Amino acid sequence: MSYEPHDSLIRPARMSANPLRLIVGCILIVAIYLSVALLFFQTLTIILGEKPFRLLLRTDTPTNALYVLFEFAFLILALSMVLRTIHRRDLLTLVGRKDRAANQFLRCSFYLLPLFFLFFLMPMPESLQVTPSLPFWRWLLWLPLAVPMVLVQVGAEELIFRGYLQSQIAARFRHPIIWIGLPSLLFGWLHYSPAMAGENAWMLVVWATVFGASAADLTARSGTLGPAIALHFINNVFAILIAAPLGDLDALALFTFPLSLDEPGIVSVVLPLEIMFTFCAWLAARLALRV
């Protein structure tokens, strides 16, 4: 196991590795994001009118799903501003060498796509059978907008957790348990949703923490965000655009399937399956990178 390539991402963070700067940076990212998102919402309301705007963003419409994904662009903007003012570094220093990141993204995607398709085609219990959602041709029309928006959402999360937090913490603390563990735990905690999963909400935290640690490990091994973005992107394309849980950002999906995360006993079925599949996806990315 070698994390030597990770140094290329840590190096730009060393000059501003003070933990206080990181804390202030995180607070500012949240504040700027909320301010810009609110300003954008109010501006659109004025331009379109309140009633048409609210009809456009009804929760069961593709336009609402696109809007939810697009709002992650404000996180990227906030992160870029904080990096320049607090840490004196550029957003692209979080990504690594651009040509290498792009090459690793494509290689990992090439290995991950068949795995996700295989998982999608696996026989499922009758209670989890997929049903058609959007008509195929309508789904195809939305795809050119939906795919870039998923990439925006994934890119924002990877830039913040595996880029910003991981590199800044690693510049201060050398042990991987710290710079992999802390961002992954925070990533998991932000997926805590009692409204969606009730008493099973901790299941989402465990899965997201494992997923975050897998992406963090790939980032450290590769020296770029390319593999982590590929893992996250392919996962979310399938979870949002191919087969989405019914009622959970499903308006852009070709298929939906019923999944009541608050159902008693579902943890013993879903959580091991999700962790096993995440492990397989991590191995596939490792195979693509040969590390």
Side-chain angles (χ1 to χ4, degrees):
M1 180 179 71
S2 175
Y3 285 158
E4 287 181 18
H6 195 216
D7 190 64
S8 63
L9 297 176
I10 300 171
R11 203 177 304 120
R14 289 199 173 103
M15 291 184 64
S16 59
N18 189 314
L20 183 59
R21 286 197 187 201
L22 180 61
I23 293 169
V24 171
C26 290
I27 293 171
L28 284 175
I29 287 171
V30 174
I32 294 169
Y33 163 72
L34 292 175
S35 300
V36 175
L38 179 60
L39 179 62
F40 184 78
F41 184 90
Q42 291 176 335
T43 303
L44 279 185
T45 304
I46 292 170
I47 293 172
L48 299 175
E50 186 172 346
K51 188 175 180 180
F53 183 56
R54 295 196 180 278
L55 286 173
L56 192 68
L57 295 188
R58 272 176 35 200
T59 55
D60 59 346
T61 62
T63 49
N64 175 72
L66 287 174
Y67 181 80
V68 170
L69 295 171
F70 172 73
E71 279 194 325
F72 282 85
F74 303 142
L75 272 177
I76 298 176
L77 175 64
L79 175 61
S80 180
M81 293 171 67
V82 165
L83 283 170
R84 289 184 178 277
T85 56
I86 302 295
H87 299 282
R88 301 287 189 254
R89 51 184 301 202
D90 187 81
L91 186 69
L92 289 178
T93 62
L94 302 179
V95 178
R97 216 175 74 191
K98 295 189 292 295
D99 58 338
R100 189 177 182 188
N103 179 266
Q104 290 174 340
F105 173 86
L106 292 173
R107 282 165 54 195
C108 288
S109 297
F110 181 76
Y111 276 70
L112 288 166
L113 270 171
L115 180 66
F116 275 82
F117 269 116
L118 181 64
F119 183 73
F120 173 69
L121 295 173
M122 282 176 59
M124 290 291 177
E126 190 173 341
S127 59
L128 292 179
Q129 290 293 320
V130 297
T131 56
S133 180
L134 280 178
F136 181 72
W137 293 110
R138 190 178 172 204
W139 176 77
L140 278 182
L141 287 174
W142 282 110
L143 214 54
L145 288 173
V147 170
M149 288 303 100
V150 172
L151 188 58
V152 166
Q153 179 251 327
V154 164
E157 292 188 354
E158 291 307 317
L159 283 166
I160 288 175
F161 289 97
R162 263 62 71 180
Y164 177 54
L165 290 176
Q166 183 166 318
S167 65
Q168 290 296 143
I169 295 173
R172 183 74 178 187
F173 303 100
R174 297 188 62 181
H175 205 289
I177 288 180
I178 300 175
W179 51 259
I180 287 180
L182 289 179
S184 299
L185 286 169
L186 179 59
F187 184 70
W189 175 73
L190 289 174
H191 282 76
Y192 181 73
S193 179
M196 181 191 298
E199 294 182 358
N200 298 329
W202 64 269
M203 174 182 70
L204 300 176
V205 175
V206 172
W207 170 79
T209 301
V210 171
F211 186 92
S214 302
D217 175 81
L218 291 174
T219 300
R221 290 176 185 277
S222 63
T224 80
L225 281 188
I229 292 175
L231 175 66
H232 204 157
F233 177 65
I234 300 299
N235 179 82
N236 283 24
V237 163
F238 273 82
I240 296 173
L241 304 183
I242 307 295
L246 189 63
D248 182 22
L249 202 63
D250 61 350
L252 288 166
L254 182 60
F255 300 99
T256 58
F257 61 93
L259 181 62
S260 300
L261 291 176
D262 58 351
E263 183 180 330
I266 199 170
V267 171
S268 60
V269 177
V270 173
L271 186 58
L273 187 63
E274 289 287 357
I275 290 177
M276 180 190 70
F277 185 72
T278 300
F279 178 69
C280 291
W282 172 76
L283 283 179
R286 287 279 309 274
L287 185 61
L289 297 170
R290 301 293 196 278
V291 292

